[in-house]
Amino acid sequence: MAKLKFGSVEENVVTREEFPLKKAQEVLKDEVVAVLGYGVQGPGQALNLKDNGIPVIVGQRKGSSSWDKAVADGWVPGETLFELEEAAEKGTILQYLLSDAGQIAQWEMVKKHLTPGKALYFSHGFGITYSDQTGIKPPKDVDVILVAPKGSGTSLRRLFVAGRGLNSSYAIHQDATGKAYDRCVALGIGVGSGYLFETNFKKEVYSDLTGERGSLMGAIQGLFAAQYDLLRSKGHSPSEAFNETVEEATQSLYPLVAENGMDWMYANCSTTAQRGALDWWKKFRDAVKPVFEELYESVETGNEARLTITANEKADYRKELEKELDELRNSELWQAGAAVRKLRPENA
């Protein structure tokens, strides 16, 4: 484990140079990694592990669309693809990658297969951190570890195939065997992490839920919608409003920010854009800060967990969810976006 400075703060970081794939393979050679759930994170992590030479099987409900996807991805029923309970029984490391609601629903089944010496692996701290609401309380004689890739399962797989990696956080919640750290980091390297930074389950879920509701999805959609609606109300066409709100950001500016940082972006734009951005960014920061404080409090107190769990328990949740998603999908903003994307040169 290396100590690296992020700004003025020193953090524990694990790199591929320090913990190469060969070492990860050696650590995991006698394990059976059972990936439980083939939905959002499952496919990317399972395929990357397999391609990295780690013994891995998949557990998924037979007859589901995810089962069919697993078969299409090359997993063989009865050999590397099993029903959830059979995979949980066979695995020595159970990668619990079902949705948060799915983890709650399947916990009693999974728990009975957590025999002494096994490891329970998460990619999200939700179930453990909010155990008073989820009921997920692992036995004391198993390792409980976390590797949380900082992106979607789709991105994890795409970057892996391209020879790159997605940064991940890692955490040890319970070390019953004395092997939890090696197991955890080996899995982090195996699933395709570029590097791993240390956290704990609580910090992972607090930052993750804040990010999802904030700058990653919730706040950014709110920002896009506010600017788009304002431009449309002032007489700008849908294509112009979308291009100036979303398309230029995602296609031109964000890739440069990802490559070089926002400080570089500010130093390498027109003087007009530079002056305006410098004058306005703190006003936007100050405007949204109270909303972020309200959001973090809702996460920290468990309110966001309660809202999520309660919503998923409703019998008509999927039906009501589709209405909400349709509202977004059919909004003029994203209908304009669909038209703009078709006009990109690579899609023409």
Side-chain angles (χ1 to χ4, degrees):
M1 185 189 306
K3 285 192 176 293
L4 297 179
K5 276 196 170 183
F6 293 79
S8 60
V9 179
E10 206 169 55
E11 296 186 33
N12 293 327
V13 171
V14 181
T15 66
R16 291 178 180 179
E17 289 72 28
E18 176 197 350
F19 207 107
L21 178 59
K22 186 175 181 180
K23 184 175 179 179
Q25 292 168 335
E26 179 65 24
V27 169
L28 299 172
K29 67 179 181 180
D30 296 323
E31 305 277 10
V32 176
V33 180
V35 175
L36 305 181
Y38 207 74
V40 177
Q41 279 288 336
Q45 294 200 32
L47 290 168
N48 291 359
L49 285 167
K50 182 172 75 169
D51 288 351
N52 271 333
I54 308 300
V56 59
I57 61 175
V58 170
Q60 180 58 45
R61 183 169 56 84
K62 192 172 184 179
S64 65
S65 59
S66 293
W67 175 280
D68 294 340
K69 175 174 170 50
V71 171
D73 285 346
W75 302 98
V76 181
E79 295 182 18
T80 55
L81 176 61
F82 303 91
E83 288 273 6
L84 280 167
E85 184 157 9
E86 189 173 359
E89 183 179 7
K90 290 178 179 292
T92 59
I93 298 175
L94 307 188
Q95 288 194 277
Y96 209 17
L97 301 183
L98 295 168
S99 67
D100 292 325
Q103 288 184 14
I104 294 169
Q106 295 294 331
W107 174 241
E108 290 305 317
M109 179 277 287
V110 169
K111 184 179 178 181
K112 72 180 182 182
H113 294 294
L114 284 172
T115 51
K118 285 193 176 187
L120 179 62
Y121 165 113
F122 293 86
S123 282
H124 191 25
F126 190 97
I128 294 292
T129 300
Y130 302 115
S131 59
D132 58 328
Q133 299 186 57
T134 66
I136 297 176
K137 299 177 182 179
K140 297 296 184 183
D141 51 9
V142 301
D143 294 340
V144 182
I145 57 181
L146 173 145
V147 173
K150 298 298 109 179
S152 69
T154 301
S155 298
L156 183 71
R157 181 61 179 168
R158 285 179 180 173
L159 288 169
F160 177 87
V161 171
R164 299 167 62 193
L166 197 63
N167 304 327
S168 302
S169 59
Y170 76 94
I172 315 296
H173 181 71
Q174 193 167 284
D175 184 4
T177 66
K179 302 185 297 182
Y181 174 81
D182 280 353
R183 279 171 147 177
C184 183
V185 174
L187 288 163
I189 298 299
V191 301
S193 303
Y195 74 84
L196 297 120
F197 62 92
E198 188 177 31
T199 188
N200 60 46
F201 275 60
K202 183 180 288 187
K203 287 180 180 177
E204 189 284 327
V205 75
Y206 285 6
S207 59
D208 189 68
L209 293 186
T210 300
E212 290 168 348
R213 287 149 178 76
S215 64
L216 300 179
M217 294 178 67
I220 202 70
Q221 164 61 19
L223 186 69
F224 284 162
Q227 179 169 304
Y228 180 88
D229 290 347
L230 181 279
L231 290 174
R232 289 289 289 124
S233 73
K234 298 297 184 181
H236 297 269
S237 68
S239 62
E240 183 170 61
F242 186 86
N243 272 285
E244 293 295 342
T245 300
V246 179
E247 190 75 352
E248 184 175 350
T250 59
Q251 297 301 296
S252 175
L253 303 187
Y254 290 174
L256 291 172
V257 173
E259 184 179 339
N260 303 298
M262 186 63 83
D263 54 330
W264 181 94
M265 190 74 254
Y266 272 51
N268 290 273
C269 60
S270 71
T271 55
T272 303
Q274 182 184 64
R275 186 68 265 147
L278 286 167
D279 288 345
W280 279 90
W281 79 263
K282 291 180 182 178
K283 294 181 182 180
F284 280 107
R285 179 199 62 190
D286 294 345
V288 301
K289 189 177 179 182
V291 181
F292 275 99
E293 288 172 345
E294 178 186 352
L295 166 57
Y296 195 87
E297 183 181 1
S298 186
V299 170
E300 194 173 30
T301 59
N303 187 52
E304 289 301 305
R306 181 185 60 77
L307 291 171
T308 299
I309 293 168
T310 301
N312 274 279
E313 287 175 343
K314 293 180 179 177
D316 63 346
Y317 175 65
R318 289 291 165 188
K319 183 179 178 181
E320 293 303 312
L321 174 64
E322 275 306 311
K323 289 181 182 178
E324 292 181 279
L325 294 175
D326 279 343
E327 179 185 357
L328 200 61
R329 190 181 300 121
N330 295 323
S331 66
E332 187 188 88
L333 167 61
W334 292 110
Q335 287 295 305
V340 169
R341 287 193 296 275
K342 288 179 183 177
L343 294 173
R344 291 176 187 164
E346 66 270 24
N347 295 331

